[in-house]
Each structure stands twice: as C-alpha cells, then as structure tokens.
Amino acid sequence: MKKCELCDSLAQMHCESDQAILCSACDAYVHSANFLAAKHSRTLLCHVCQSHTPWIGTGPVLGATLSVCNSCINNSSCTDGKGSENDQIANNDDEIIANMMKTMMVVKTAMKTMKKIK
C-alpha cells in the first residue's frame, strides 16, 4: 500500500503540482497554506488498489470521500440483478444503478480488507 510522503499514513490522493501522494490530513495541511496551493488539482486514489481514479478536486480541504477506480469497479463480482441481454432495456438510469451497485460491493470488500489490516 502506498504511504503518505509526509507522515507515512495510508495515501489517499495524488497532487500533480507537488508530485506527491498524501493522506487526507496532510493534503489539507499542505493545500490550505495559501490560495495558490488550494488551486492544485488532486486525484483521489482508489481505496482498493490505490491507483488513480477519475475523481479530481481542488480547494484547501477536500471532503472525506471514498473513491474506486474503473478497473476495480469492472472487476467486481457483483451481479446487478438485470435479466439477460435480450430482455433488458439499456438506458442510462439502468447503467448508473448497476455501476453504483458494483461500487458498493467493491467498497464493502475494501472495508473488510481494511478491518483485517488493522
């Protein structure tokens, strides 16, 4: 697992401008230093595999967020409850719900893993 470059806690985000991976506490400390640092764009790391996620944020303090990368979502063993491809109606709402269900399953697995690590 990747460690924060300042305090050795579990890393949760990557700041491209600083070329650093940080935990949320150190990120808040560094990026609340001044208005220029607050403008740095940061990418959340996946809570499962710690790779980059599509989620990007700016500001002095990023709120507590759980993020999962697309690869972990796609590799989830979750079944989304839909029928066969022949009898399902493909629309955006169904896809959004299915992705949310997959994400929830990945998060549950990650939470179990984190409990075992402690």
Side-chain angles (χ1 to χ4, degrees):
M1 298 302 265
K2 295 178 183 176
K3 300 285 185 167
C4 173
E5 293 182 27
L6 297 179
C7 74
D8 287 333
S9 294
L10 184 64
Q12 295 173 317
M13 56 200 66
H14 176 256
C15 177
E16 184 66 33
S17 298
D18 293 329
Q19 290 293 301
I21 54 172
L22 304 166
C23 68
S24 59
C26 289
D27 177 75
Y29 175 77
V30 168
H31 292 101
S32 62
N34 60 55
F35 76 98
L36 291 174
K39 291 182 177 183
H40 289 180
S41 178
R42 278 102 72 209
T43 303
L44 280 184
L45 300 178
C46 177
H47 277 65
V48 178
C49 70
Q50 285 196 301
S51 63
H52 285 75
T53 66
W55 193 94
I56 297 173
T58 61
V61 179
L62 302 180
T65 307
L66 184 66
S67 187
V68 182
C69 71
N70 289 331
S71 178
C72 286
I73 290 170
N74 292 334
N75 290 332
S76 171
S77 61
C78 172
T79 57
D80 59 14
K82 293 183 183 178
S84 69
E85 287 184 4
N86 293 337
D87 62 5
Q88 66 178 269
I89 300 170
N91 65 35
N92 288 340
D93 290 342
D94 288 342
E95 291 176 26
I96 291 169
I97 291 169
N99 284 333
M100 287 174 53
M101 290 174 66
K102 287 178 183 178
T103 301
M104 289 173 60
M105 291 300 294
V106 170
V107 168
K108 285 181 183 179
T109 303
M111 297 292 279
K112 287 179 186 177
T113 303
M114 294 302 288
K115 286 181 183 177
K116 288 179 185 178
I117 291 172
K118 288 182 179 181

